Amino acid sequence: MKKLLLGILLLTNIKAQTVTLTSHQERDWQIVTQKADQVSSIPLGEFVARVVTPSSSIQSLSLPFEVHTKLLHVAKFQQVKKGDLLAEVTGDAWIKAQQLAIEKSIVLRTLKERATRQNILCKEGVISQKICLETNAEMENESVKLEAAKALLENYGASSEMIQTLLSTLKFKPYLKIYTPSNGIITLCNAIPGRTVQPSEALFVLNKKGALWIESEIEARYAAHLHEGEDIEIDFAGRVFTATVLHRSLILKPQTQTQMIRFEIPENIDLLSGTVATLSITRKVSALKIPKNAVINHEGKKILFVKTSRGYEAKDMKILSEDRTHYYIDKEITLDHPVATTSLAILKNLLGEEDE
């Protein structure tokens, strides 16, 4: 075990000491006992947390040229589906790129027709082979230039089908349609008609649909009990569900002595990114639950008085967690017998110790 929570101590077993009482003494000192409850989960505590979108689920849509928006089909915070039309945009670079591709396509067509005629004449010996070789080399050069022009159009957002249509019809499209690449929510929209968007700016930012995260700055003494891959129970913003510890920061903030803990939320849990609320964490750990009034300090350690057939035996314990009224202790200490919940100071004195 690592550091213990809220006064959790790494204790060594003290030599068992037993206080033997008569039934008359037990009545006079009003000693009450009760058995510990066995539980399958223990509380870790309450913390302030925020729902965030994983960085891998945030998609920025931009174009590598100065953009002017003709039509906008969505609004900020609108939910969209893959393939939805977002906007129709244009720009000088977009027009010039199409014109360049058309120009190179026309030149290549002309060269292909010339090469076809010349190759026939070369075979018949009408013209020299050198002329055919020069034309073929020029055609290959223009073919490379056309491929470069097509690659530029692809970089500008044109689809293969759009490029094929452009080169077959030789008619450029004044506007480029922007479609949604995946399901999600538009969280940023700069593609506003009348506004010029620079290449360094995003036209849209899309939060793709998927699992969200909850992040919280948790004190190191609590964070030490959370391990990556561990499933825990969470109560957050009125929802109770099982989440997974995704990441525990290896950096401790010196001012607050906290670590950033990230939890992955199941996709079926409907929470909004940006929500801030109190996070209650419950760990799935088997433990024994005892009331706090059954615990007393003994030689700097926390002990219980367990009632056995020999009397009241002092046992040290390992505290895993606590709430306002109870301690949760390690099951390594088997409590088959009840523990004293009153008159602990008397029992302690009978061990030869001074009162607290």
Side-chain angles (χ1 to χ4, degrees):
M1 295 293 291
K2 297 182 179 179
K3 296 179 183 178
L4 299 177
L5 172 65
L6 287 174
I8 298 174
L9 304 173
L10 290 172
L11 302 175
T12 56
N13 289 330
I14 62 173
K15 183 179 180 180
Q17 301 179 64
T18 304
V19 177
T20 303
L21 300 177
T22 65
S23 58
H24 179 72
Q25 288 173 317
E26 286 191 62
R27 287 195 303 269
D28 284 349
W29 291 330
Q30 298 180 344
I31 298 177
V32 178
T33 62
Q34 72 175 67
K35 282 193 174 183
D37 295 324
Q38 184 170 328
V39 295
S40 58
S41 60
I42 61 175
L44 184 65
E46 294 185 350
F47 317 93
V48 176
R50 175 192 293 270
V51 179
V52 299
T53 301
S55 53
S56 60
S57 296
I58 300 175
Q59 187 168 7
S60 176
L61 307 180
S62 60
L63 292 173
F65 59 86
E66 192 175 87
V67 173
H68 308 283
T69 303
K70 175 192 176 186
L71 292 174
L72 180 63
H73 296 277
V74 294
K76 189 177 180 181
F77 301 127
Q78 180 175 332
Q79 188 167 342
V80 292
K81 295 181 180 180
K82 183 178 181 179
D84 285 352
L85 180 61
L86 299 179
E88 296 176 52
V89 303
T90 190
D92 293 340
W94 164 245
I95 301 299
K96 290 178 181 178
Q98 292 182 89
Q99 291 173 336
L100 177 63
I102 290 173
E103 177 186 328
K104 296 304 176 184
S105 178
I106 293 173
V107 171
L108 186 60
R109 286 185 186 183
T110 303
L111 286 172
K112 283 182 177 180
E113 291 174 359
R114 186 199 304 173
T116 300
R117 293 193 304 268
Q118 288 180 346
N119 287 334
I120 294 174
L121 295 175
C122 284
K123 288 180 180 179
E124 294 176 353
V126 176
I127 60 176
S128 67
Q129 191 70 28
K130 180 181 178 181
I131 295 175
C132 290
L133 292 175
E134 289 176 349
T135 301
N136 288 336
E138 188 179 355
M139 185 175 63
E140 289 180 8
N141 185 44
E142 289 300 326
S143 178
V144 171
K145 291 180 180 179
L146 177 59
E147 290 301 317
K150 290 164 63 177
L152 180 61
L153 286 172
E154 288 183 1
N155 189 44
Y156 282 1
S159 64
S160 298
E161 183 180 355
M162 185 185 299
I163 294 173
Q164 185 177 354
T165 301
L166 173 71
L167 299 181
S168 61
T169 62
L170 302 180
K171 294 180 180 179
F172 71 85
K173 294 183 178 296
Y175 296 101
L176 174 65
K177 293 183 178 181
I178 309 297
Y179 295 94
T180 310
S182 57
N183 298 341
I185 297 174
I186 300 295
T187 58
L188 178 67
C189 177
N190 287 325
I192 302 171
R195 182 181 184 276
T196 299
V197 181
Q198 300 299 323
S200 59
E201 296 181 275
L203 290 170
F204 302 94
V205 173
L206 176 70
N207 280 15
K208 295 188 292 185
K209 187 175 181 181
L212 297 175
W213 293 343
I214 289 181
E215 292 183 348
S216 181
E217 295 288 341
I218 295 179
E219 288 182 57
R221 55 178 176 165
Y222 298 106
H225 289 273
L226 296 171
H227 307 286
E228 293 182 4
E230 176 185 0
D231 288 334
I232 58 171
E233 185 178 278
I234 280 179
D235 186 338
F236 181 83
R239 304 292 300 272
V240 178
F241 53 91
T242 298
T244 302
V245 180
L246 191 63
H247 175 70
R248 186 179 74 185
S249 174
L250 298 178
I251 299 175
L252 184 68
K253 289 191 174 181
Q255 299 89 345
T256 58
Q257 292 296 293
T258 59
Q259 292 174 268
M260 193 280 293
I261 307 294
R262 181 178 294 139
F263 308 94
E264 185 175 38
I265 308 173
E267 287 193 35
N268 63 329
I269 302 300
D270 187 18
L271 291 173
L272 297 178
S273 183
T275 301
V276 177
T278 299
L279 170 69
S280 297
I281 299 175
T282 301
R283 297 181 63 222
K284 298 177 180 180
V285 177
S286 295
L288 295 174
K289 178 181 178 182
I290 58 170
K292 285 188 172 181
N293 59 2
V295 178
I296 196 169
N297 287 338
H298 177 81
E299 297 180 348
K301 302 162 187 172
K302 294 187 180 296
I303 64 166
L304 299 168
F305 284 99
V306 182
K307 186 176 182 180
T308 67
S309 58
R310 297 184 300 275
Y312 289 89
E313 183 177 326
K315 285 191 175 183
D316 63 330
M317 61 181 182
K318 203 181 293 183
I319 300 176
L320 301 176
S321 179
E322 65 177 285
D323 55 27
R324 287 190 297 270
T325 58
H326 290 83
Y327 284 121
Y328 298 84
I329 65 174
D330 199 319
K331 281 187 66 179
E332 291 177 3
I333 302 174
T334 303
L335 296 179
D336 297 324
H337 303 282
V339 298
T341 58
T342 61
S343 305
L344 302 187
I346 296 174
L347 293 173
K348 180 181 174 183
N349 284 338
L350 293 175
L351 291 177
E353 299 293 324
E354 294 182 359
D355 287 338
E356 288 287 299

